[in-house]
Amino acid sequence: MGDLSNFGITKRWPAQNPDIIQLYSLPTPNGVKVSIMLEETGLDYEPHLINIGEDETWTPEFLSLNPNGKIPAIIDPNGPNGEPFALFESGAIIQYLAEKTGKFLPTNPAKRMETIQWVYFQMAGLGPIFGQLGFFHKFAGKDIEDKRPRDRYVNESKRLLGVLETRLEGRDWIMGDDYTIADIASLGWVRNLVGFYDAGDLVEFDKLVNVPAWLARGLERPAVQRGLNIPSRD
């Protein structure tokens, strides 16, 4: 049986099965990247719900795993060289899992880097910008009378969606015929923008063709459907 006792987070969220990957997360757009990836790869894992509404990411136990205080994070008891390995940052985690399993990341060096490029596009663009739009449209920022901050993120969100729309022209997935971590990184954020944030009208989502079709294809995948609700909030 694996020994994860050196990881402080296990004192608050103990592993029932320390021989499999431990996932510390919440079904947010960043969190579901990893749960979807785990479901897609078929790796065994144990999810732990981290309640960000109760500031659980700022507890000493969670910060011992991720000093940045953000979900998701994982511990892989069978990491490099067979040693337990901890990792945070959703983009890094899905790349790690792709390399661990040999799935959803091309082996051709050029295609591999092109795929990672689009993961970074999500990490640096879609995620931060869509998140700010959500703040100014749905959350506390909506009460600000000056709508220039909101409109800045509306316009940038539309621009980024346009980049994705162009990329998907003639392609089923971001990398063409193959579904990859580039899609896994982005699906939850686009879904959140038009769903949870209710910003579809603001960004004129209905005027797009390729992005909505891509999103629908992604959401039809059984592993995506499962991953969107892991860890369970119930």
Side-chain angles (χ1 to χ4, degrees):
M1 179 171 289
D3 182 7
L4 302 181
S5 60
N6 289 332
F7 296 93
I9 196 168
T10 63
K11 294 177 174 61
R12 186 179 181 110
W13 293 278
Q16 299 301 309
N17 186 349
D19 291 330
I20 62 177
I21 292 172
Q22 304 295 305
L23 169 65
Y24 306 91
S25 191
L26 189 73
T28 67
N30 282 331
V32 299
K33 294 178 204 173
V34 179
S35 53
I36 289 171
M37 184 64 177
L38 286 164
E39 289 292 320
E40 291 279 16
T41 59
L43 287 166
D44 290 330
Y45 70 101
E46 180 180 332
H48 302 271
L49 181 71
I50 309 300
N51 192 332
I52 61 178
E54 295 183 2
D55 291 333
E56 288 186 339
T57 57
W58 302 111
T59 60
E61 294 87 355
F62 190 86
L63 289 171
S64 71
L65 186 62
N66 182 0
N68 194 36
K70 303 292 183 182
I71 59 95
I74 65 167
I75 301 173
D76 182 359
N78 300 297
N81 300 317
E83 297 294 325
F85 178 64
L87 194 62
F88 63 86
E89 282 296 334
S90 57
I93 296 171
I94 61 174
Q95 181 178 341
Y96 169 75
L97 295 174
E99 294 177 351
K100 178 182 177 73
T101 60
K103 297 179 178 179
F104 307 113
L105 183 61
T107 56
N108 174 277
K111 290 295 184 183
R112 177 180 179 275
M113 285 310 305
E114 188 179 356
T115 304
I116 293 171
Q117 164 190 268
W118 284 99
V119 174
Y120 287 5
F121 169 77
Q122 180 279 305
M123 298 289 291
L126 300 185
I129 297 301
F130 291 2
Q132 290 295 332
L133 176 53
F135 173 80
F136 284 105
H137 178 56
K138 181 168 182 174
F139 298 110
K142 71 180 186 300
D143 297 325
I144 298 174
E145 291 186 10
D146 186 347
K147 295 306 177 186
R148 285 177 294 181
R150 184 203 68 176
D151 291 345
R152 177 184 188 277
Y153 293 109
V154 168
N155 291 332
E156 183 63 1
S157 294
K158 289 168 68 174
R159 188 190 70 80
L160 291 169
L161 286 169
V163 173
L164 191 56
E165 176 79 0
T166 299
R167 173 65 183 184
L168 289 166
E169 183 66 34
R171 295 180 172 93
D172 282 345
W173 306 107
I174 291 174
M175 287 301 296
D177 293 334
D178 296 326
Y179 173 80
T180 68
I181 57 171
D183 303 290
I184 292 171
S186 298
L187 283 167
W189 274 106
V190 176
R191 172 181 178 265
N192 212 61
L193 178 70
V194 299
F196 184 63
Y197 291 161
D198 194 26
D201 289 343
L202 277 178
V203 300
E204 299 179 331
F205 192 75
D206 289 345
K207 291 186 177 180
L208 303 173
V209 175
N210 302 321
V211 174
W214 162 84
L215 178 62
R217 277 191 294 274
L219 295 179
E220 288 174 355
R221 295 178 69 90
V224 173
Q225 294 173 19
R226 294 191 302 270
L228 288 171
N229 296 299
I230 297 174
S232 173
R233 296 175 185 265
D234 297 332

